[in-house]
Amino acid sequence: MSSSSQSTKNIFSLTEDLLVRVYEKLAFESDRKSFRLVCREFRRIDSLTRKHLRVLRVEFLPSLLQKHPQLQSLDLSSCPRIDDGVVSLLLTRVGPGSNSVSWASWTQGLRRLVLSRATGLRFSGLEMLARACPSLESVDVSYCCGFGDREAAALSCAVGLKELKMDKCLQLSDVGLAKIAVRCLKLEKLSLKWCMEITDLAVDLLCKKCVDLKFLDISYLKVTNESLNPIASLLKLEVLCLMACPLIDDAGLQYIERGCPSLKAIDVSRCEGVGSSGLIAVVRGHHNLVELNAGYCLTELSSTLLHWIKNLKQLEMIRIEGARISESGFQVISTNSKSLLEIGLSKCVGVSNMGIMRLISGCINLRVLNLTCCHSVTDAAISAIADSCRKLVCLKLESCNMITEKGLCQLGSFCLLLEEIDLTDCCGVNDKGLEYLSRCSELSCLKLGLCTNISDKGLFYIGSNCTKILELDLYRCTGIGDGGLEAISRGCKKLTKLNLSYCNEVSDRGLGYISNLEELFDLEMRRLDKVTGVGLEAIAAGCKRLADLDLKHCVKVGDSGFWALAYYSRNLRQINLSYCAISDMALCMMMGNLTRLQEAKLVHMTNVTVEGFELALRACCVRIKKVKLLAPLRFLLSSEILETLHARGCIIRWD
């Protein structure tokens, strides 16, 4: 017997529980997909053990739910056509008798349900889901433009909810939130970001009923200090997010000082009324604070506030973006250096090399450092960071124009765990700097936008050594051409996001190389003047996972490229065709064939007539969620199509 056949026999002699254990060790979806394609038995193991399912097309839902009865998490955020009727069909199971109806088996173990952007789902569908899933603990209905008080009342039937996310549910008012507060008494995490109709009244009731809340996000709400009084009574609250709440000020934060004994993290960034005295109150009352985000709400980091911050011995994250800070202030913050994992100093005034050196001298555990727009930072500071912060995984240096290859040499020598670095608009970065940086083999995100001194040679170093890169930004890197893309396509096979906008030397040949990146998910290629339909055809045929595509100002791409998109790119969810030379027929074919398309930007398309826009919108009106059109079309398109789009929850942005 050959060794290969013996190996095959050994694999298939494994018991079911051993195969399950092997499957559970597979961390990446691509590996799990390969596993289930081996044979029927491996596919059966996948069906039995799969706990999470993210569905892209609603027509596959019935068969998928039947194959995976053990689901604990179901994500339907990419199914724009799901509505109450679809939910009814999915939930109902008819028994042997004509009157025997019960809930489908997949509902019994479901704990997490993601319905964000499900614009067609209303109160009856939500109520059916809430009643059919007895184990439901987490629901996300963010950005559901039709979600209002009736829908909130329906969702409140899920009395076991512990986590609820309702970001930007603009029709939700105090009435709907009151229904949830009264019935969902086990709530531990609640996000109401951008729910603009919520007032102090509902927040007060929420805090009285849901006393187990540990996480509360009311960012961007027009609640006042009156809301902070009941919030302070939440004994278990650990995280409080108040970002950009314009009516909250220092007086309100006095309540937090005397309450919330379990508070570990607070975010008051962009709160115009919050100053040093309010933050002093919070810090004074919570010596165990772990995270403090005060970005863009302080003009200056006062000595008194620094005195109290010094007492936060467990502080792991501090963000003070936009504030003026003295060199002595850096020294005070550094007293907590051993516990600090993240420091945010974006756009801070007074950041100097000496200040940075004092700050990070003992930051041996620092993971994230943001120095965006700290223009005085030079290679000396970067060298100090590299020497002290060997565990650094994220470094943001956008617009730090004085950084050169010398600083990158130090990073490449000592910060070998670096996963993300932002060098956008750092004009001192060149090919030699990228050679040094390529020693950071763990890099997954590299941003080089506006770095005009790099060329294909620099990308060759990145492609050769940084094989784990997932995101690469080359925006306006005018020295980049087809040769650099060849190097990236050979070495960075896991790339999911790529920005080539305004890289004018890139041609169809370069896109041919990019078409070999099978995992590519997001591609920006604005104004690539040398690219034609041939290049777009290659992308469409090769990058089957592509979901976001920006073709703005690609004026030389003809209909052949758009036909290819319509035929191959069935996973596209967002597309920008503004200023493209597409015809009526090609636009209609694309909008009709791309069944997962949710957002389209369609302005200044001179070859498309009013009739072409009308037919294209009719072809996609059942699923499109957001579309951008020129303002004059408001008066030229039929009222019927505009009313249909509105009824379906589509948001039209008139440019």
Side-chain angles (χ1 to χ4, degrees):
M1 182 180 293
S2 67
S3 59
S4 61
S5 60
Q6 181 66 40
S7 175
T8 303
K9 181 179 179 181
N10 290 338
I11 291 175
F12 289 105
S13 63
L14 294 175
T15 61
E16 181 178 294
D17 62 323
L18 286 175
L19 286 173
V20 169
R21 292 177 67 180
V22 170
Y23 179 86
E24 290 175 344
K25 294 291 184 181
L26 302 177
F28 298 102
E29 175 58 30
S30 57
D31 294 334
R32 291 193 289 269
K33 181 179 180 181
S34 299
F35 179 92
R36 60 179 174 264
L37 290 176
V38 171
C39 62
R40 290 183 179 179
E41 178 63 12
F42 280 27
R43 177 172 289 185
R44 189 181 71 84
I45 295 297
D46 172 73
S47 298
L48 287 175
T49 56
R50 181 179 281 266
K51 303 297 183 184
H52 173 74
L53 184 64
R54 183 172 182 265
V55 184
L56 298 178
R57 297 179 66 174
V58 70
E59 56 266 34
F60 296 143
L61 256 176
S63 59
L64 286 171
L65 293 176
Q66 188 175 6
K67 289 178 182 177
H68 305 290
Q70 304 299 322
L71 285 180
Q72 294 181 1
S73 174
L74 178 60
D75 188 343
L76 300 177
S77 59
S78 297
C79 295
R81 289 186 289 169
I82 192 166
D83 55 24
D84 294 350
V86 172
V87 168
S88 179
L89 289 173
L90 294 174
L91 291 177
T92 307
R93 181 180 65 184
V94 181
S98 58
N99 296 323
S100 177
V101 178
S102 60
W103 299 122
S105 59
W106 64 268
T107 63
Q108 301 309 298
L110 196 69
R111 294 186 176 183
R112 179 175 177 266
L113 183 59
V114 180
L115 298 167
S116 63
R117 303 184 189 276
T119 54
L121 202 56
R122 294 294 184 266
F123 65 92
S124 59
L126 285 168
E127 184 171 357
M128 283 188 286
L129 281 168
R131 295 188 184 280
C133 304
S135 303
L136 200 59
E137 295 180 351
S138 173
V139 174
D140 183 351
V141 289
S142 299
Y143 302 96
C144 291
C145 60
F147 189 95
D149 293 338
R150 294 185 73 182
E151 286 70 29
L155 193 56
S156 69
C157 295
V159 295
L161 275 184
K162 293 183 178 180
E163 182 176 351
L164 180 55
K165 193 173 182 181
M166 298 189 289
D167 295 351
K168 217 164 190 176
C169 290
L170 300 179
Q171 297 183 36
L172 179 69
S173 72
D174 289 352
V175 176
L177 184 56
K179 293 283 187 181
I180 289 172
V182 170
R183 302 195 66 180
C184 302
L185 302 179
K186 297 180 181 179
L187 269 181
E188 295 179 0
K189 296 184 68 176
L190 178 62
S191 183
L192 298 167
K193 191 184 298 183
W194 285 300
C195 293
M196 306 304 292
E197 298 300 316
I198 300 298
T199 70
D200 295 332
L201 187 65
V203 174
D204 181 56
L205 179 62
L206 175 72
C207 296
K208 289 177 178 176
K209 295 294 184 180
C210 302
V211 295
D212 291 330
L213 275 175
K214 296 179 180 179
F215 176 99
L216 180 60
D217 190 343
I218 55 173
S219 298
Y220 298 94
L221 270 60
K222 293 182 179 179
V223 294
T224 70
N225 294 337
E226 294 301 315
S227 285
L228 295 187
N229 191 14
I231 288 174
S233 68
L234 295 172
L235 301 180
K236 298 181 181 180
L237 191 67
E238 297 177 359
V239 180
L240 177 59
C241 299
L242 303 170
M243 180 189 296
C245 289
L247 304 180
I248 286 176
D249 57 28
D250 292 342
L253 292 182
Q254 305 290 332
Y255 294 118
I256 303 300
E257 177 188 6
R258 298 187 293 271
C260 300
S262 302
L263 194 67
K264 294 180 180 179
I266 186 166
D267 184 350
V268 291
S269 58
R270 300 185 186 276
C271 288
E272 300 172 357
V274 172
S276 292
S277 62
L279 287 172
I280 289 170
V282 172
V283 173
R284 189 168 53 208
H286 301 88
H287 290 170
N288 294 324
L289 210 60
V290 175
E291 296 184 7
L292 175 61
N293 190 345
Y296 305 107
C297 69
L298 292 174
T299 55
E300 185 174 2
L301 203 60
S302 68
S303 57
T304 309
L305 176 56
L306 284 168
H307 168 76
W308 286 102
I309 289 177
K310 184 173 63 175
N311 296 327
L312 299 177
K313 300 304 180 184
Q314 298 181 38
L315 192 66
E316 294 180 359
M317 185 273 277
I318 181 169
R319 295 180 187 168
I320 48 175
E321 288 94 340
R324 178 180 292 277
I325 180 170
S326 63
E327 289 189 8
S328 60
F330 288 111
Q331 186 68 52
V332 172
I333 295 175
S334 69
T335 57
N336 295 323
S337 58
K338 290 185 179 180
S339 65
L340 280 172
L341 302 178
E342 178 178 349
I343 301 174
L345 301 173
S346 174
K347 299 183 180 180
C348 280
V349 180
V351 177
S352 64
N353 287 340
M354 186 57 67
I356 293 296
M357 291 175 186
R358 289 181 176 179
L359 176 66
I360 52 84
S361 58
C363 290
I364 57 174
N365 293 311
L366 196 66
R367 302 288 197 277
V368 180
L369 179 60
N370 188 348
L371 297 176
T372 298
C373 294
C374 293
H375 304 295
S376 298
V377 169
T378 71
D379 292 331
I382 301 302
S383 297
I385 291 168
D387 187 50
S388 297
C389 309
R390 306 278 177 108
K391 297 180 181 179
L392 202 66
V393 295
C394 177
L395 180 59
K396 298 183 179 181
L397 300 169
E398 180 180 348
S399 297
C400 293
N401 297 314
M402 301 178 72
I403 293 172
T404 70
E405 62 191 61
K406 294 180 181 179
L408 297 183
C409 177
Q410 296 301 306
L411 289 175
S413 299
F414 299 112
C415 295
L416 300 181
L417 300 179
L418 201 62
E419 296 177 8
E420 177 181 350
I421 185 167
D422 188 348
L423 296 169
T424 302
D425 200 19
C426 292
C427 57
V429 174
N430 56 20
D431 291 337
K432 193 66 177 178
L434 292 187
E435 180 182 5
Y436 293 135
L437 194 62
S438 67
R439 299 171 187 167
C440 302
S441 58
E442 297 297 317
L443 272 181
S444 61
C445 178
L446 176 59
K447 297 185 179 181
L448 299 170
L450 296 167
C451 292
T452 53
N453 291 319
I454 63 172
S455 68
D456 292 344
K457 184 179 179 181
L459 286 191
F460 173 79
Y461 297 124
I462 298 298
S464 299
N465 300 317
C466 303
T467 58
K468 296 182 180 181
I469 283 189
L470 301 177
E471 180 179 348
L472 179 61
D473 187 350
L474 300 172
Y475 174 79
R476 291 188 185 273
C477 291
T478 52
I480 298 299
D482 297 335
L485 297 185
E486 181 181 11
I488 293 298
S489 67
R490 287 180 177 177
C492 305
K493 294 292 186 181
K494 296 181 179 180
L495 200 66
T496 61
K497 187 173 182 179
L498 177 62
N499 189 346
L500 297 174
S501 295
Y502 304 96
C503 294
N504 297 322
E505 295 303 312
V506 173
S507 69
D508 290 337
R509 186 166 69 92
L511 292 192
Y513 296 131
I514 295 302
S515 68
N516 296 317
L517 299 172
E518 297 180 356
E519 301 295 321
L520 197 63
F521 182 89
D522 186 331
L523 177 60
E524 291 187 48
M525 41 182 284
R526 292 188 179 192
R527 186 157 266 168
L528 299 188
D529 295 332
K530 294 183 178 181
V531 167
T532 69
V534 175
L536 190 56
E537 288 173 34
I539 293 293
C543 304
K544 298 293 181 62
R545 290 178 177 266
L546 201 61
D548 296 349
L549 180 61
D550 192 337
L551 295 167
K552 186 176 181 180
H553 282 295
C554 288
V555 295
K556 291 187 179 179
V557 175
D559 278 356
S560 63
F562 299 118
W563 287 111
L565 283 179
Y567 184 78
Y568 292 111
S569 301
R570 300 301 178 92
N571 286 319
L572 270 179
R573 293 201 310 243
Q574 296 185 37
I575 193 166
N576 188 350
L577 298 174
S578 300
Y579 296 91
C580 286
I582 188 172
S583 68
D584 284 355
M585 187 175 294
L587 180 62
C588 292
M589 180 61 71
M590 281 187 61
M591 302 301 280
N593 275 25
L594 301 178
T595 55
R596 300 178 192 175
L597 194 66
Q598 299 179 26
E599 182 175 342
K601 295 179 180 178
L602 309 173
V603 300
H604 298 290
M605 295 157 55
T606 54
N607 291 350
V608 180
T609 65
V610 175
E611 291 74 16
F613 281 113
E614 181 88 19
L615 292 173
L617 292 172
R618 287 183 183 276
C620 66
C621 64
V622 297
R623 61 181 178 275
I624 199 77
K625 292 181 178 179
K626 185 183 292 185
V627 63
K628 183 179 180 181
L629 300 167
L630 281 178
L633 285 174
R634 186 200 297 255
F635 309 104
L636 299 174
L637 293 171
S638 69
S639 58
E640 179 188 354
I641 186 61
L642 295 178
E643 290 171 3
T644 301
L645 289 169
H646 179 72
R648 290 278 180 176
C650 178
I651 299 172
I652 303 177
R653 179 182 169 187
W654 301 104
D655 190 55

